[in-house]
Amino acid sequence: MAWDVLVVGGGIAGVSVAAELAARGSVLLAEAEPELARHTTGRSAAIYVPSYGGPLVRALTAASRFPDGVLTPRAMLWVTTDGPSPGRPGARPISVEQAREVCPALRPGAIAAADLDERTADIDAMGLHQHYVRALRAHGGEIRRGAPVTALRRDGAGWRAAVGADEVRAGLVVAAAGAWTDRVAALAGVPPVGLLPLRRTIAIAAGRPVEPDWPLVVDTADRFYFRPESGALLVSPADETPSEPVDAKPDDLDVALAVERVNAVTTLGLRTVRTAWAGLRTFAPDRDPVVGVRDGHPGFAFFAGQGGHGIQLAPALAATGAAIIAGDDPGDGLAAALSPDRFP
């Protein structure tokens, strides 16, 4: 069977843009792993933070509309441990005393300034992912798991692709494979954009009792963040360790660093690490998403580089990306801002 579009990658990027494109034509989604969302999507802290990221990321986040039941409100504190707060768009400065009222676990004297953002929320990442899986299937799209794309060659105006043990034909290929996206481009003979996978470590640690309605607390210097999770505390050292595209594993030193840094600013006395994991957050050189077709390489589109923002901006980026990939103009200069041609 010939497909209008072959989407490579079954994380939130792949399923969201595939669902949008399936409303325009036939779509096959291929995922190399035996299950969808095995890597970064399934390991994300998944927070909706309109004040997080650069101007383009913030605009796409603000424009995202989520299905009912996916967002659960949770306030967020941006904190500094030394010096005044640099401020965050949409967040309001509060006193250190007010910050400790919002999060009583903060150690007296540990923070120097704080900003409160009350627009934030926990995101049910897998609930959002399944929303797009259902939408893709409702439009007649097909999903193949355990089906790595190992070859791509031109076939007239389209492609012949080795998908698992099969060969399929497609008019358009969309590389939405996260850390592996540049490798998919190489299979097609398309110049890469220089995507950089960065490992991020998360752990669940326990100590003194944690209240479930405490906010997400993020260090503005990107040294740690934490929030309540399953009766304990989700913690991260906010690490960005360059990595090859791999099934990322947590480093014991990074886990220990997260616990140490959070213990330094709280009175929780975290002692026991219940579990830890890591994922790859993949960024383009300018840290904005990459969407569209490279000049001179028709029929192959990038949909990648969402970094640590992929879930919070998924609805807007998927709709915008589908328009760009289909050759429409989404307006607001987005096609040029997201284009892979901004890189040599």
Side-chain angles (χ1 to χ4, degrees):
M1 176 179 176
W3 301 85
D4 293 325
V5 182
L6 168 64
V7 176
V8 185
I12 191 64
V15 298
S16 62
V17 76
E20 293 286 350
L21 288 168
R24 301 168 178 258
S26 62
V27 174
L28 171 64
L29 184 143
E31 167 55 48
E33 301 291 355
E35 65 270 0
L36 302 179
R38 175 172 175 175
H39 294 289
T40 301
T41 299
R43 306 175 189 185
S44 172
I47 295 284
Y48 176 78
V49 184
S51 54
Y52 183 41
L56 180 56
V57 166
R58 294 198 303 270
L60 288 165
T61 300
S64 289
R65 300 293 177 264
F66 292 84
D68 291 344
V70 166
L71 299 182
T72 302
R74 180 184 299 280
M76 176 179 179
L77 278 176
W78 293 100
V79 300
T80 62
T81 57
D82 183 17
S85 168
R88 290 282 173 168
R92 60 182 176 88
I94 61 173
S95 69
V96 171
E97 292 74 18
Q98 289 172 317
R100 293 192 63 237
E101 290 175 4
V102 175
C103 183
L106 289 170
R107 185 183 299 278
I111 66 169
D115 293 293
L116 179 65
D117 194 337
E118 296 178 289
R119 303 167 299 163
T120 52
D122 294 341
I123 305 174
D124 178 358
M126 296 312 296
L128 181 63
H129 185 275
Q130 285 301 304
H131 164 79
Y132 284 116
V133 168
R134 290 191 296 270
L136 172 59
R137 287 176 169 153
H139 287 300
E142 181 179 328
I143 297 172
R144 297 189 188 179
R145 299 173 176 83
V149 174
T150 54
L152 288 166
R153 61 183 177 87
R154 292 284 183 180
D155 179 22
W159 300 89
R160 286 188 182 272
V163 178
D166 299 325
E167 182 176 79
V168 303
R169 296 178 62 195
L172 171 70
V173 173
V174 178
W180 288 264
T181 297
D182 272 345
R183 292 188 177 181
V184 176
L187 289 177
V190 177
V193 296
L195 295 168
L196 179 61
L198 301 174
R199 190 180 72 231
R200 172 59 56 90
T201 305
I202 298 176
I204 305 295
R208 296 188 181 94
V210 172
E211 294 297 326
D213 60 349
W214 284 346
L216 168 69
V217 178
V218 180
D219 174 38
T220 58
D222 287 330
R223 297 178 63 253
F224 64 82
Y225 62 81
F226 65 86
R227 75 156 193 239
E229 181 79 18
S230 304
L233 207 67
L234 181 150
V235 300
S236 174
D239 50 321
E240 290 193 341
T241 305
S243 172
E244 290 295 313
V246 295
D247 185 2
K249 305 296 183 185
D251 184 281
D252 289 344
L253 181 59
D254 290 329
V255 174
L257 197 59
V259 171
E260 176 185 325
R261 290 175 177 176
V262 173
N263 274 337
V265 297
T266 71
T267 59
L268 294 173
L270 302 176
R271 299 180 303 276
T272 303
V273 175
R274 294 180 178 175
T275 187
W277 64 92
L280 297 181
R281 304 156 80 245
T282 300
F283 291 91
D286 61 4
R287 299 180 78 89
D288 280 336
V290 182
V291 178
V293 176
R294 266 198 183 281
D295 188 38
H297 297 275
F300 184 95
F302 290 87
F303 190 80
Q306 292 91 336
H309 320 106
I311 296 173
Q312 72 173 33
L313 54 69
L317 190 65
T320 299
I324 292 171
I325 291 166
D328 298 334
D329 182 1
D332 298 324
L334 286 170
L338 295 166
S339 173
D341 286 333
R342 67 187 194 267
F343 305 111

